[in-house]
Amino acid sequence: MAIDWLAQAQALRSELVARRRDLHQHPELAFEERRTASLVAAELSALGLEVQTGVGKTGVVGVLEGAQDGTTVLVRCDMDALPIHEANAAEYASQTPNTMHACGHDGHVAIGLGVAKLLAARRDQLAGRVKFVFQPAEEIAAGANAMIADGVLESPAPQVALGLHLWNNMPVGTVGVTEGAAMASANDFTVTVRGVGGHGALPDETRDPIFAAAQIISALQSVVSRNVSGLDTAVLSVCTIHGGDAMNVIPSEVTFGGTFRTYQPATNELVMRRLREVAEGVAAALGCTAEVRAQQLTPPLINDSAVNARLREAFKRVAPHLTLVDNARTMASEDMACFLERVRGTFFFVGSANHERGLDFPHHHPRFDFDEEALPLGAGLLAAAVAEYVLPSA
Ligand code: NI
């Protein structure tokens, strides 16, 4: 008899909602998730998992050991909030000024604990183990790497990595299992343009870095339009620019910076290379120099098609009424990508918007909130996904 994971998760509904609301009232920023982490550790211990705290600073790992040997599945949930002042008036609104769960990570923690509870209850039937990874600092793209550096992918090493994101870009009742790249890489860059400053009335005696920076910024728009294939995609945005502080003085230095996003590792390398070539080349042509500093924060998030196929089958079986889409993509990034770069797996989107109830503000908005029906849905789907690997008879 197949297990009805959605019904099982639905039975935990009030618990999931209460947990999420408590976390929502007490949000914590990246690497400051102490209350959240201790609550997670206490809950996992109570369920009988072997718990490790302080993994990647404030991360928590709980291992659920099955009765028999088998596959090790990593389940990743992120825990951090954002430096945003909540503008919602809900009774469970943030009690901390300028800190808010505006991305739904409160829901992810509640779902992760719910899945741990559902699977711990079937420990005797499990073949393999589930490694629950409660990750800090997703919002600054640092928590996954911090946990990896602390050995989260070793002893036991997972063979499959799974995770989800509540997703207000889709209505509740929709699930996105995307082929290939689902989320973009994130890269920061700064360009320092140096010239020779002087009097604003005598530009011929200067090497004007403001003029050079303007030309570089314009020329950088050629990277996406002229270098990246029309069949691929990328975004390059200059988001800061600083230089000069008097109306009649040409400064000697201008700095600007921004972000670029890609879906393919090779495209990321291409944009990185062209950014340098364009900045240095244009600056040189105008008698200046450009120093480019760029770093990749996260790689593109790429799902494994075999894991996708297995999840789709499981989701159709346990939730035939849900709408399953395969093209939910965003140029936003996620450091779950750091796990998926090393372990095959899938990160799926659980629709969480409800337009009628006004629960459809975008992620990172001060009025972000989601339909809590997505909590039991997410827990049921994630439990079913994990069960595919550790409870094959289910
Ligand atoms: Ni998020």
Side-chain angles (χ1 to χ4, degrees):
M1 180 65 191
I3 298 167
D4 187 345
W5 291 108
L6 281 197
Q8 301 260 316
Q10 223 25 280
L12 298 182
R13 190 183 200 285
S14 57
E15 196 177 317
L16 293 167
V17 169
R19 174 82 71 206
R20 178 265 162 158
R21 291 185 175 194
D22 170 67
L23 292 165
H24 195 86
Q25 283 180 301
H26 302 99
E28 296 170 300
L29 296 176
F31 289 132
E32 293 173 9
E33 309 89 338
R34 287 178 201 92
R35 179 184 183 275
T36 310
S38 71
L39 183 151
V40 166
E43 178 75 17
L44 295 177
S45 294
L47 292 172
L49 275 66
E50 193 187 307
V51 176
Q52 216 188 329
T53 57
V55 184
K57 294 186 186 165
T58 42
V60 181
V61 179
V63 177
L64 175 64
E65 198 63 52
Q68 296 159 51
D69 202 18
T71 306
T72 299
V73 180
L74 182 151
V75 174
R76 184 276 211 162
C77 304
D78 45 8
M79 305 192 288
D80 58 325
L82 285 156
I84 293 174
H85 191 82
E86 177 150 14
N88 286 316
E91 82 236 23
Y92 53 87
S94 172
Q95 295 180 355
T96 311
N98 303 315
T99 308
M100 176 191 178
H101 271 295
C103 198
H105 301 184
D106 48 346
H108 301 168
V109 174
I111 287 171
L113 292 174
V115 172
K117 188 171 190 174
L118 292 177
L119 292 169
R122 295 180 182 272
R123 177 177 219 148
D124 295 349
Q125 303 158 45
L126 295 189
R129 62 199 61 73
V130 190
K131 197 166 189 175
F132 289 93
V133 171
F134 288 85
Q135 185 209 297
E138 189 284 322
E139 297 293 359
I140 60 167
N145 281 328
M147 292 191 87
I148 291 168
D150 273 2
V152 78
L153 296 182
E154 293 146 36
S155 49
Q159 286 87 49
V160 181
L162 302 172
L164 59 74
H165 208 300
L166 297 174
W167 207 234
N168 264 19
N169 302 42
M170 306 189 308
V172 71
T174 307
V175 182
V177 180
T178 303
E179 274 311 296
M183 301 182 77
S185 66
N187 308 260
D188 273 359
F189 67 88
T190 58
V191 179
T192 305
V193 184
R194 295 192 181 89
V196 177
H199 201 299
L202 307 165
D204 54 305
E205 294 179 4
T206 72
R207 296 283 180 268
D208 183 354
I210 290 192
F211 177 68
Q215 303 309 312
I216 295 169
I217 291 168
S218 293
L220 284 176
Q221 294 310 314
S222 70
V223 175
V224 173
S225 69
R226 305 291 88 180
N227 301 133
V228 175
S229 161
L231 298 175
D232 192 3
T233 192
V235 165
L236 188 154
S237 296
V238 174
C239 305
T240 68
I241 180 162
H242 302 282
D245 37 36
M247 294 304 183
N248 57 357
V249 178
I250 292 170
S252 57
E253 192 173 299
V254 173
T255 59
F256 64 87
T259 184
F260 67 88
R261 312 288 174 115
T262 66
Y263 276 145
Q264 308 297 336
T267 311
N268 213 75
E269 279 172 39
L270 169 72
V271 175
M272 188 81 87
R273 178 170 63 78
R274 288 300 293 151
L275 169 64
R276 282 180 202 286
E277 288 172 354
V278 169
E280 290 169 5
V282 173
L286 298 171
C288 295
T289 62
E291 185 189 335
V292 179
R293 259 172 275 138
Q295 59 165 343
Q296 185 176 77
L297 302 173
T298 66
L301 185 146
I302 299 172
N303 288 328
D304 182 271
S305 65
V307 178
N308 274 357
R310 210 148 161 188
L311 262 51
R312 281 198 199 100
E313 282 310 306
F315 293 171
K316 278 183 207 152
R317 197 166 62 240
V318 302
H321 58 289
L322 294 184
T323 307
L324 202 52
V325 300
D326 61 6
N327 59 353
R329 289 199 168 84
T330 171
M331 293 310 285
S333 65
E334 238 294 341
D335 72 358
M336 173 71 181
C338 300
F339 293 120
L340 293 181
E341 198 179 34
R342 294 163 175 86
V343 184
R344 72 195 180 97
T346 291
F347 188 67
F348 59 97
F349 296 118
V350 176
S352 54
N354 184 321
H355 301 299
E356 290 77 51
R357 294 177 53 206
L359 300 169
D360 56 359
F361 283 89
H363 294 260
H364 297 206
H365 189 283
R367 291 204 56 199
F368 175 82
D369 197 359
F370 58 83
D371 187 335
E372 288 169 331
E373 192 52 39
L375 296 171
L377 271 177
L381 293 173
L382 188 53
V386 177
E388 274 296 304
Y389 292 92
V390 294
L391 240 171
S393 60

